Amino acid sequence: QVQLVESGGGLVQPGGSLRLSCTASGIIFFSATTVYWYRQAPGKEREQVALITLIRATDYADSVKGRFTISRDNNLNTAYLQMNNLKPEDTGVYYCHCQDSWGQGTQVTVSS
């Protein structure tokens, strides 16, 4: 029922930055949800990267602490993932998750 669309992925050099967006539709109370970012690297399991709650409490995987920031704009039904100081191991498909819905994913490639 809830549709999620990610955007903002691309190719970036190590040390660079990207900002991912996740826009939700088909939801009335987006502001009351927890939004998650996951990623999946080739040959690896999907892992939780970050989350943000309705009161804007946040949590991050150890691998991205200090480099990634999750935020939300409830007026736009959108969550963001600001990714700084990107490393090759950050490469993968990034997915937004909210309630029981998943986005289609957006590719992030960190390479020279």
Side-chain angles (χ1 to χ4, degrees):
Q1 184 176 6
V2 177
Q3 295 90 52
L4 305 173
V5 178
E6 303 99 335
S7 63
L11 175 64
V12 65
Q13 295 183 2
S17 298
L18 287 172
R19 189 178 76 156
L20 307 183
S21 298
C22 170
T23 299
S25 61
I27 185 171
I28 298 176
F29 298 111
F30 177 78
S31 62
T33 67
T34 295
V35 180
Y36 306 78
W37 283 100
Y38 283 74
R39 69 185 180 190
Q40 188 166 21
K44 295 186 177 181
E45 296 181 2
R46 188 174 298 186
E47 63 173 340
Q48 185 177 300
V49 174
L51 66 83
I52 184 166
T53 72
L54 74 166
I55 62 170
R56 289 185 167 86
T58 59
D59 193 23
Y60 300 92
D62 288 342
S63 58
V64 307
K65 285 180 180 176
R67 299 188 298 119
F68 289 13
T69 303
I70 188 171
S71 61
R72 67 194 300 161
D73 186 338
N74 293 329
N75 292 326
L76 299 178
N77 284 357
T78 299
Y80 305 94
L81 186 67
Q82 178 68 45
M83 305 185 296
N84 298 326
N85 192 25
L86 283 161
K87 305 176 184 297
E89 53 263 40
D90 295 319
T91 293
V93 180
Y94 283 69
Y95 299 90
C96 179
H97 174 54
C98 182
Q99 296 189 339
D100 60 350
S101 296
W102 293 83
Q104 83 290 344
T106 185
Q107 176 71 45
V108 172
T109 302
V110 185
S111 176
S112 297

